Amino acid sequence: MQGGSSGIVYGGLKYQARCITDVRADAGSTTFLAGTLSLKEENEVHLIRLLPGENELVCDGLFYHPNEIWDLKSCPFDHRLFSTVYTSGEGYGASVWKIPELYGQSNSPQLEQLFTLDDHTDKIRCVLWWPLGKHDKLISINDRNIFLWNIDPSNKSAKVISQGSADMLPNLRGGAWDPHNHNTVATITDSSLHFWDLRSMKSNAIEHAHIRDVDYNPKKQNIIATAEDEFGIRLWDLRMLKHPLKDLPGHSHWTWAVRHNPEYDELILSAGTDSAVNLWLAKVGTDDSGPESPSGSPTRQEEPLLHSYTDYEDSIYGIAWSSHDPSLFASLSYDGRVVLESVKPHLQRK
């Protein structure tokens, strides 16, 4: 099913943007952070909140950020903390920031930079927080390495405690931290998907071309989704990686992002450079015994596409489900347009 958007638009971003994240630690409201990507202007981080009982997104805080933001993640246990990856001179840097207490004013105070993740010599790609509960570790990923940090926000300190190297691999592009096991991380390269054991910093790989994103299913152990140039969206069982559980068509151009819903385990969002966000119903039929298909071959379901949101004029790189209300998601197109949508009309098929 295709259609336009009946969502709520936030028009506060003045510049191009790629990054939006749900503020999971804010249990009392639907809140997102979005960061801009302007080459010439001073960049901004917007704290965006849905007004309770109203169809309006408001800016709860606007904070200046010194560089172009290429990655943005909210801390899952403290709603005032977040991380960014940004351009820094001729290279890239990463920092953890703290939102000041007096946010919500028209002239918001300056962000506090708690610490930088400065042990990188290659291009840093992303920062990962363990998604469930308080954890004193962070992960950063650059072109060739994965770093595990011990962090202490109260003392504004971060220290590398271990490092894994991927010197023989193509460039690392990003990753995801397993919500069911804080010792496991998935990373992606131009041609492969790697699973790291953080205790030994060793990895196993499956070869697939042009993977752009990976996401763990937070409700089902061992299930992940990948966004791939050639195959669109693929669902995998980590116990049986020879073949995917399911293939979904993806987008008419690059499928850039894929996200599992935090509550409804069969709902998946994807976004692409075809200026569309797709909502999928992806039944994989797994239980503790493994895939339903004995051969391990991918299974297709009729009409897995529940809806395609197409009322955009630019590529969409950022999508985020609301953890406060899992029937809502926000999307961010490259022209700086944030749209909040509800999937409630499509839940009856689930």
Side-chain angles (χ1 to χ4, degrees), residues 12-145:
L13 271 65
K14 297 184 291 186
Y15 312 123
Q16 294 174 328
R18 299 172 70 103
C19 301
I20 190 166
T21 182
D22 169 54
V23 183
R24 182 185 182 91
D26 185 357
S29 62
T30 294
T31 314
F32 301 91
L33 285 170
T36 63
L37 190 73
S38 173
L39 180 61
K40 297 181 179 180
E41 306 294 337
E42 189 168 27
N43 284 279
E44 300 172 345
V45 175
H46 289 237
L47 182 63
I48 304 167
R49 180 170 59 89
L50 175 66
L51 286 180
E54 300 186 34
N55 291 327
E56 184 180 1
L57 291 171
V58 297
C59 180
D60 255 10
L62 189 158
F63 311 102
Y64 293 108
H65 187 280
N67 307 95
E68 303 168 64
I69 300 171
W70 289 89
D71 178 72
L72 172 66
K73 302 283 182 16
S74 178
C75 172
F77 57 83
D78 187 334
H79 69 279
R80 293 174 59 199
L81 303 184
F82 66 92
S83 61
T84 59
V85 173
Y86 47 84
T87 53
S88 177
E90 295 182 356
Y92 283 73
S95 294
V96 170
W97 308 83
K98 186 174 185 178
I99 295 173
E101 295 231 14
L102 299 178
Y103 65 87
Q105 300 179 356
S106 57
N107 296 314
S108 297
Q110 189 173 359
L111 291 169
E112 181 183 1
Q113 187 177 31
L114 295 184
F115 49 81
T116 60
L117 307 177
D118 53 9
D119 277 28
H120 293 269
T121 55
D122 295 300
K123 178 180 178 180
I124 184 169
R125 297 288 189 167
C126 68
V127 173
L128 304 178
W129 302 77
W130 190 59
L132 298 180
K134 190 165 185 177
H135 194 49
D136 63 352
K137 304 293 189 296
L138 266 187
I139 288 172
S140 60
I141 297 171
N142 69 15
D143 279 348
R144 298 290 177 184
N145 303 279

Side-chain angles (χ1 to χ4, degrees), residues 47 52 82 138 141 153 177 206 217 224 241 248 254 268 278 322:
L47 182 63
F82 66 92
L138 266 187
I141 297 171
W177 203 334
I206 56 174
N217 188 323
I224 63 166
L241 287 171
L248 300 172
W254 292 330
I268 291 177
N278 289 341
S322 167

